[in-house]
């Protein structure tokens, strides 16, 4: 592979510089490029830079002096990108059926392999040594991960492609092959597990690269980018996590509508761009709430406020890798995340249903999600129902090992210390005992917060009063004694919210109109807890045992914890 001139090489993405080093050191001749491969990319040219595709970058920057460059994809078949005169001299070309290059994967891969051997033989005979390159686009469609057990024909095809990097006849010749796939888990394991092939990950663009791309787009979209024309890198920093292709599409739309992007638009636009790029696998949690909206839990609010203060000072050493919110159903785990989202000042991302019925698709979805999280810079990641979502170390053979692979991917991502202070995990579960112990250990989840129901009538009344006030039903503080003996024990915020709605309805529909306290009394008379007492007690005990700090536990529950031990 030809190295770009030194002044050009400094402008190369880190993945391209690493690839060049591996090839020149003869460490690898086959490269599996995965990740953000479908994005637009800055392509250095002789006198300027331009925005193109990955294929353009490989051809113009990494292989400018190759004699023959071929590409293959299942749609277009084999194409000669460079060196057609040399390729046309290949004797076997005339013997191909119909005189045309095959399109079907098995026949195309066989034809490419035969040509590579032909070029290698020419070199061995010292008649002519050609430098040959080949790009296989959408390699996961050519050699996909196996579905439904062993497929001998598919494995034979993958074995041929692996031979391009392991057969000494080919490796001693100047052959470089590039397999392009968005997700490694979508590609056949014979290729992914090939130790002679180098896996090169292409991440979403960093702000510097996005800023350079925006600078190149200024002349094409002058109206759309007008507000940021002199400061493209400011806009780039605010769009972290979006792809260049998505941003270019946004600029095209705005230019067509003749509207400029304003600073106020950026947050909404970023959310739309990132969620679209991720195909609905994540969503951003937007909230106007803050920690001040949490009822009670002063020790928890104090701890979280201290974490935010450290975060804002960029003092990351003491920040937790993650939080676990645990407690019975209805105790406000999602509500607390909304309060965190409003207070954090950084994106709060919720993982949606990333599981898929197709082999490898679930793992591929997680790869895509993790790439996004890294690109966002700083973010909170919310995993609801974590006991169901995070997988199991050993789930048996019922799901063909999927749960174990999901567990392994989360375990690796959550324990990466390079992400401390950048990616903070928030797991929520009413059954934290079902989450694998290794996923809850310090270094992955450092702070475990129990969210518990009320422990005294006064707490229950205070909660009901606050929720009724939000619905413009003002229950007086001095009315506590009137309903003290009616306040249910172990009242959750979810159950209290339902009661507050009933109180509001009773006030609005009663004839004659009931007072607030009368409506509350009428609703408490026939109240039944939505959660069975034995279930509530069981989930409370689990949450108490999980707590990482005794101060998080209300005094009334501390005796219960001692008794449980």
């Amino acid at each position: 592979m030809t190295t770009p001139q030194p002044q050009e090489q400094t402008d190369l993405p880190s993945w391209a510089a690493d690839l060049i080093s591996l090839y020149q050191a003869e460490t690898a001749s086959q490269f599996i490029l995965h990740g953000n491969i479908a994005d637009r990319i800055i392509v250095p040219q002789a006198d300027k830079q331009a925005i193109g595709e990955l294929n353009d970058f490989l051809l113009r920057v990494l292989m400018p002096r190759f004699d023959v460059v071929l590409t293959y994809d299942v749609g277009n078949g084999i194409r000669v990108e460079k060196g057609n005169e040399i390729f046309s001299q290949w004797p076997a070309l005339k013997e191909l059926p119909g005189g045309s290059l095959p399109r079907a994967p098995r026949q195309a891969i066989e034809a490419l392999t035969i040509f590579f051997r032909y070029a290698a033989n020419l070199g061995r005979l010292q008649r002519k040594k050609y430098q040959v390159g080949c790009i296989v686009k959408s390699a996961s469609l050519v050699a996909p991960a196996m579905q439904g057990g062993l497929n001998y024909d598919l494995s034979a095809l993958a074995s041929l492609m692996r031979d391009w990097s392991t057969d000494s006849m080919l490796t001693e010749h100047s052959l470089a092959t590039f397999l392009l796939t968005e997700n490694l888990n979508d590609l056949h394991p014979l290729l992914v597990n090939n130790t002679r092939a180098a896996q090169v990950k292409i991440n979403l663009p960093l702000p510097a690269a996005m800023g350079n791309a925006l600078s190149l787009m200024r002349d094409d979209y002058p109206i759309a980018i007008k507000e940021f024309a002199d400061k493209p890198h400011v806009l780039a920093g605010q769009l972290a996590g979006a792809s260049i292709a998505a941003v270019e599409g946004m600029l095209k739309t705005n230019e067509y509508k003749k509207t400029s992007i304003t600073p106020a638009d950026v947050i909404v636009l970023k959310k739309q761009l990132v969620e679209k790029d991720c195909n609905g696998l994540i969503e951003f949690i937007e909230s106007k709430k803050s920690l001040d909206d949490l009822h009670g839990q002063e020790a928890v609010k104090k701890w979280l406020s201290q974490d935010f203060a450290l975060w804002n000072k960029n003092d990351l050493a003491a920040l937790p890798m993650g939080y676990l919110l645990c407690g019975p159903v209805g105790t406000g785990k999602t509500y607390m995340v909304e309060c965190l989202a409003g207070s954090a000042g950084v994106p709060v991302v919720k993982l949606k249903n990333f599981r898929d019925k197709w082999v490898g698709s679930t793992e591929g979805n997680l790869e895509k999600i993790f790439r996004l999280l890294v690109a966002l810079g700083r973010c909170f990641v919310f995993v609801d129902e974590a006991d169901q979502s995070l997988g199991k170390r050993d789930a048996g053979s019922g799901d063909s090992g999927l749960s174990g692979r999901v567990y392994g991917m989360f375990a690796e991502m959550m324990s990466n210390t390079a992400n401390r202070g950048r990616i903070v995990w928030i797991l929520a579960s009413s059954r934290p005992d079902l989450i694998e112990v290794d996923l809850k250990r310090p270094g992955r989840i450092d702070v475990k917060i129990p969210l518990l129901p009320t422990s005294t009538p006064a707490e229950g009344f205070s909660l009901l009063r606050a929720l009724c006030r939000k619905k413009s039903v003002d229950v007086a503080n001095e009315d506590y004694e009137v309903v003290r003996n009616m306040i249910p024990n172990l009242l959750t915020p979810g159950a209290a919210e339902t009661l507050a709605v009933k109180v509001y309805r009773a006030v609005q529909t009663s004839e004659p109109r009931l007072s607030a306290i009368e409506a509350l009394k009428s609703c408490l008379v026939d109240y039944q807890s939505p959660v069975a007492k034995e279930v509530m007690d069981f989930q409370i005990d689990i949450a108490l045992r999980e707590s990482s700090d005794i101060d998080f536990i209300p005094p009334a529950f501390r005796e219960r914890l001692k008794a449980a031990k």
Side-chain angles (χ1 to χ4, degrees), residues 453-466 468 475-477 479-492 495-496 499 503 517 520-529:
T454 59
S455 55
T456 65
E459 286 182 2
F461 179 77
S462 178
L463 177 60
L464 282 169
R465 185 167 175 259
C468 285
V475 179
N477 192 40
D479 288 333
Y480 169 58
E481 292 298 333
V482 177
V483 293
R484 176 177 181 176
N485 295 329
M486 302 177 71
I487 300 294
N489 191 29
L490 303 179
L491 186 64
T492 67
L499 271 172
V503 171
I517 188 60
L520 178 57
K521 284 176 62 178
S522 69
C523 293
L524 291 174
V525 168
D526 58 353
Y527 172 79
Q528 287 187 334
S529 173

Side-chain angles (χ1 to χ4, degrees), residues 479-553:
D479 288 333
Y480 169 58
E481 292 298 333
V482 177
V483 293
R484 176 177 181 176
N485 295 329
M486 302 177 71
I487 300 294
N489 191 29
L490 303 179
L491 186 64
T492 67
E497 175 74 18
T498 301
L499 271 172
V501 171
K502 289 184 67 177
V503 171
Y504 173 79
R505 185 178 186 279
V507 169
Q508 296 298 320
T509 60
S510 60
E511 290 290 343
R513 189 182 180 93
L514 292 175
S515 67
I517 188 60
E518 290 171 337
L520 178 57
K521 284 176 62 178
S522 69
C523 293
L524 291 174
V525 168
D526 58 353
Y527 172 79
Q528 287 187 334
S529 173
V531 181
K533 185 178 185 304
E534 59 271 20
V535 174
M536 177 71 73
D537 288 338
F538 175 70
Q539 293 181 348
I540 288 173
D541 289 340
I542 295 172
L544 293 174
R545 290 195 296 268
E546 289 285 355
S547 179
S548 60
D549 195 310
I550 192 67
D551 289 340
F552 294 159
I553 301 176

Side-chain angles (χ1 to χ4, degrees), residues 217-428:
M217 292 187 231
R218 279 183 296 198
D219 293 339
D220 294 326
Y221 313 109
I223 298 175
I225 207 170
K226 180 180 178 181
E227 295 279 340
F228 295 92
D230 297 328
K231 46 185 178 181
H233 289 277
V234 173
L235 179 58
Q238 296 173 346
L239 292 174
S243 65
I244 292 175
V247 171
E248 186 177 29
M250 173 190 70
L251 293 176
K252 284 182 178 179
T253 301
N254 280 62
E255 190 71 22
Y256 174 76
K257 295 180 178 179
K258 300 189 183 305
T259 57
S260 298
I261 297 168
T262 67
D265 297 331
V266 174
I267 294 177
V268 175
L269 290 171
K270 174 180 175 176
K271 175 180 179 294
Q272 293 172 347
L273 293 176
V274 172
E275 288 182 352
K276 181 179 178 182
D277 271 348
C278 228
N279 297 323
L281 296 174
I282 59 97
E283 66 176 337
F284 286 91
I285 297 177
E286 297 184 50
S287 175
K288 295 182 180 179
K289 301 181 180 68
S290 71
L291 291 177
D292 293 334
D293 293 299
L294 282 177
H295 182 79
Q297 306 183 62
E298 297 306 319
V300 172
K301 288 193 285 189
K302 180 180 178 181
W303 184 289
L304 293 172
S305 296
Q306 290 172 343
D307 282 348
F308 289 146
L310 291 170
W311 182 290
N312 292 330
K313 290 191 298 185
N314 205 35
D315 186 354
L316 309 181
L319 283 177
M321 296 285 282
Y323 301 95
L324 171 62
L325 308 181
C326 52
V329 174
T331 47
K333 294 180 284 294
T334 301
Y335 183 84
M336 175 170 273
V337 173
E338 292 175 357
C339 294
L340 287 171
S343 298
V346 295
V348 178
V349 177
K350 180 180 179 181
L351 268 60
K352 298 179 74 174
N353 186 14
F354 55 84
R355 292 178 179 266
D356 200 293
K357 64 180 180 179
W358 303 111
V359 174
S361 293
T362 296
E363 299 94 314
N365 289 340
L366 278 179
E367 281 188 59
K368 182 181 293 186
I369 290 170
F370 292 165
R371 284 196 301 273
L372 168 67
L373 299 181
V374 172
L376 283 175
R378 283 188 176 188
C379 63
F380 282 82
V381 185
F382 176 39
V383 185
D384 201 6
E385 305 294 345
D387 52 289
Q388 301 294 321
S389 301
L390 299 179
K392 301 294 181 184
R393 181 195 290 273
D394 183 12
S397 58
D399 63 355
S400 302
L402 173 61
S403 187
R405 294 192 296 275
V406 168
Y407 160 82
M409 293 180 72
F410 271 110
E412 181 180 0
M413 185 68 178
M414 290 171 65
S415 62
N416 187 345
T417 55
N419 292 328
R420 183 180 291 276
R422 297 182 68 253
I423 299 175
V424 179
W425 295 86
I426 307 175
L427 311 186

